[in-house]
Amino acid sequence: MTDSSEDKTTAAGKPAAEEPAKAAESAKAEEPAKAEEPVKAEEPAKAAELTKAEEPVKAEATGVEVTEPGAAGSPSAFLEVRDLKVHFPTDDGLVKSVDGLTFSLEKGRTLGIVGESGSGKSVTSLAIMGLHRASRQQRSKVRMSGEIWLDGKELVAAEPDEVRRLRGREMAMIFQDPLSALHPFYTVGQQIVEAYRVHHDVDKKTARKRAVEMLDRVGIPQPDKRVDDHPHQFSGGMRQRAMIAMALVNNPELLIADEPTTALDVTVQAQILDLIRDLQKEFGSAVIIITHDLGVVAEIADDLLVMYGGRCVERGPSDEVFGAPQHPYTWGLLGSMPRIDRDQTERLIPVKGSPPSLINVPSGCAFNPRCPYADVPKDNVTRTVRPELQQVDGRHFSACHLPQEERQRIWTEEIAPKL
C-alpha cells in the first residue's frame, strides 16, 4: 500500500523534472565511489610493473645474481632457503651462527655443505628440520628469520606441530653421532617402528616387518634378529646404517646427512656413501650432505656450498668449485686436503689463524684476518664492506672483493701448481 500511494503522489503532485534531477544527483554521488575502485586497484599493479622493470637494471648494475631464491614470490625449487638467520642470545652476546644464508635444491640432486667447525653447517640443517623450535623452551633461546620453503610449504613461520608432521615423513636427518642420537634404552627395531607408526596408521606387526625390511636394505646382516638388539650392540658402521634405515623408513623427499662418515673406517665410509647414492636413486630424494671431508663431497655431491662465519662464501657445481675455485677460503680448504693422485713433494698448506668468533664477527669480509690477499683491493674495502655473492659463471657464485681476473690469475699461477 505504501509503494502504490507513493507512486500515485509522484505522478499526480510532484513535477516531472524532479525525478531526473534526483537521478542525476544520485548518479553523481555514486561516480566517485565507482571511480576510486579502479584507481586503487591500478596503483599496486603499476608499482609492481615498475618494480619488475627496475629489477634487471639493478641486477646489471650490481652484478648480483638475479635468479637468487631469496627473491620474493613463490618458490621455484623443491627446497629454498632465503636469507636464513639463526641467532642465539647468550650472556656474552648474540651468537650469529647463520647470518643470511640462501640456497636452493631440486629433487634427485645432492648438495654438499663444507666449512670448518663453527661455520654454521649443522645449525642450518637443524633449522631446516625445525629442531631449534621443537619445544617452547628452545623457542625462547633462538632468534630465527628468513624463509625455508619445502615443496611449497614455509617452515620458519609455521607452527611447531605442522613442522613435526613433516619431520620424518617429508624430511629426515641422519645425525652426526648415531650412538647419542639413538636411545640406549630401546632396541633399534623399536625406534624404527615408532618412527614409522607416527606417520602411518598400522599395527606393530606391520611396522616391525617394515623395520626388518629397511635394516636388510641398508645392509645389516640377519636383520630379523638384529632388529631386537640395542644400539650399543651395533658397531659404529652398523649404527650409522641403522640411522639411515630410520631416516628412510618413511621414504622422505629430503634427506639431510650431517657428517655421516665421521669416525668410520675408509671402507665403511665408501659403503655408506654408496648406500646413500643408491637409496637416492631409488626414492628420488633431495640430499644435503654436511661434512669436513672434501673428498666425500667430491664423490657424491652435484653442487657445493662453502660456508664461513655463518655465511656462504662460494657456491656452484662441484666440478666448477673444485676445478676453478674463486674464493681464498676455498683455496685454503683445498690446500689442506691430501692428494693421492699425484706425488706430494711439499707439505700441506693449512689455513692460517682460527675461525672467527660468531659473537664478534670481523667487519667487512669475515675472512680478511686470515686472507693472504686482504690488502690487494684498494681503499681497505675488505675490512669495511661485507662482500655479496657475485656471479662468476653460470651457477657459480663467489663473495670476494678481489676482481675476477685477479682471482683467476692467483689461482692459475700461485695456488693450483701447489695443490
Side-chain angles (χ1 to χ4, degrees):
M1 294 297 293
T2 306
D3 294 340
S4 60
S5 61
E6 286 180 355
D7 292 342
K8 291 178 182 178
T9 305
T10 303
K14 291 185 179 180
E18 289 183 6
E19 289 183 12
K22 290 182 179 179
E25 291 176 1
S26 62
K28 290 180 180 179
E30 292 176 359
E31 281 178 359
K34 292 181 180 179
E36 287 176 2
E37 293 178 359
V39 172
K40 292 180 180 179
E42 288 176 2
E43 287 177 355
K46 290 180 179 179
E49 291 176 2
L50 290 174
T51 304
K52 290 180 180 178
E54 290 174 358
E55 284 177 356
V57 177
K58 292 180 180 178
E60 290 177 2
T62 59
V64 178
E65 177 186 6
V66 296
T67 59
E68 192 75 3
S74 60
S76 58
F78 171 68
L79 172 68
E80 284 196 10
V81 176
R82 303 175 173 179
D83 194 27
L84 177 64
K85 296 181 180 180
V86 184
H87 298 169
F88 298 94
T90 66
D91 294 337
D92 296 327
L94 188 65
V95 179
K96 299 179 180 180
S97 297
V98 179
D99 195 27
L101 183 63
T102 298
F103 65 88
S104 62
L105 179 63
E106 296 287 355
K107 282 186 179 180
R109 295 187 65 84
T110 300
L111 173 68
I113 302 180
V114 300
E116 294 171 293
S117 297
S119 59
K121 306 184 302 298
S122 296
V123 174
T124 300
S125 64
L126 294 175
I128 296 174
M129 294 294 295
L131 295 176
H132 291 306
R133 295 181 170 181
S135 66
R136 185 173 301 175
Q137 183 179 6
Q138 287 173 310
R139 290 196 293 273
S140 64
K141 294 181 178 180
V142 61
R143 298 178 186 176
M144 281 183 59
S145 62
E147 300 176 5
I148 300 175
W149 291 88
L150 178 69
D151 198 16
K153 306 178 187 69
E154 209 288 305
L155 305 183
V156 174
E159 292 295 328
D161 290 340
E162 183 179 351
V163 179
R164 188 179 297 112
R165 285 191 291 270
L166 298 175
R167 190 164 50 240
R169 182 68 180 266
E170 301 292 333
M171 55 182 177
M173 184 170 177
I174 304 171
F175 291 94
Q176 184 170 354
D177 182 10
L179 183 60
S180 59
L182 293 170
H183 201 293
F185 181 78
Y186 298 100
T187 65
V188 171
Q190 287 175 322
Q191 298 180 61
I192 298 177
V193 164
E194 180 186 10
Y196 188 68
R197 295 190 69 195
V198 164
H199 299 285
H200 296 84
D201 187 14
V202 297
D203 55 25
K204 291 184 179 180
K205 184 178 180 180
T206 303
R208 178 184 170 85
K209 182 179 179 181
R210 174 66 173 171
V212 173
E213 175 189 345
M214 290 304 301
L215 289 177
D216 180 56
R217 183 169 294 184
V218 298
I220 292 182
Q222 298 180 319
D224 55 334
K225 296 181 180 180
R226 301 308 301 267
V227 70
D228 295 321
D229 286 347
H230 288 79
H232 71 272
Q233 296 175 278
F234 279 36
S235 66
M238 290 179 64
R239 280 194 295 267
Q240 195 66 273
R241 292 172 185 270
M243 280 292 301
I244 296 175
M246 185 184 300
L248 296 176
V249 70
N250 294 303
N251 300 340
E253 296 178 304
L254 172 65
L255 177 64
I256 302 175
D258 188 1
E259 299 282 359
T261 58
T262 298
L264 298 181
D265 295 335
V266 178
T267 55
V268 179
Q269 288 185 18
Q271 293 173 0
I272 295 296
L273 295 179
D274 289 339
L275 175 62
I276 293 176
R277 187 186 296 108
D278 294 340
L279 293 174
Q280 181 188 28
K281 292 179 180 179
E282 181 178 350
F283 297 113
S285 306
V287 175
I288 297 177
I289 183 165
I290 299 170
T291 181
H292 297 275
D293 192 342
L294 293 180
V296 170
V297 292
E299 174 72 18
I300 195 174
D302 300 306
D303 301 287
L304 191 62
L305 188 151
V306 183
M307 290 191 67
Y308 186 82
R311 292 176 61 85
C312 171
V313 296
E314 187 165 1
R315 187 184 75 233
S318 295
D319 54 351
E320 294 185 17
V321 176
F322 279 108
Q326 296 292 315
H327 197 280
Y329 179 60
T330 312
W331 301 341
L333 293 180
L334 292 174
S336 303
M337 182 178 67
R339 300 282 296 268
I340 61 174
D341 59 341
R342 66 178 66 172
D343 294 334
Q344 190 75 30
T345 58
E346 298 182 3
R347 302 186 66 177
L348 297 178
I349 308 171
V351 182
K352 297 181 180 180
S354 302
S357 166
L358 297 179
I359 297 178
N360 299 308
V361 181
S363 59
C365 177
F367 188 59
N368 80 78
R370 308 171 68 187
C371 181
Y373 306 99
D375 295 325
V376 174
K378 299 178 180 180
D379 301 329
N380 203 28
V381 66
T382 58
R383 296 176 178 83
T384 56
V385 180
R386 187 165 67 178
E388 300 295 335
L389 283 174
Q390 304 286 330
Q391 186 174 18
V392 177
D393 182 25
R395 295 188 298 111
H396 193 179
F397 296 85
S398 176
C400 182
H401 286 300
L402 285 170
Q404 185 173 344
E405 296 79 8
E406 185 67 12
R407 293 200 303 265
Q408 188 64 37
R409 186 197 65 79
I410 294 173
W411 164 252
T412 304
E413 299 178 4
E414 301 180 19
I415 306 298
K418 297 180 181 179
L419 299 183

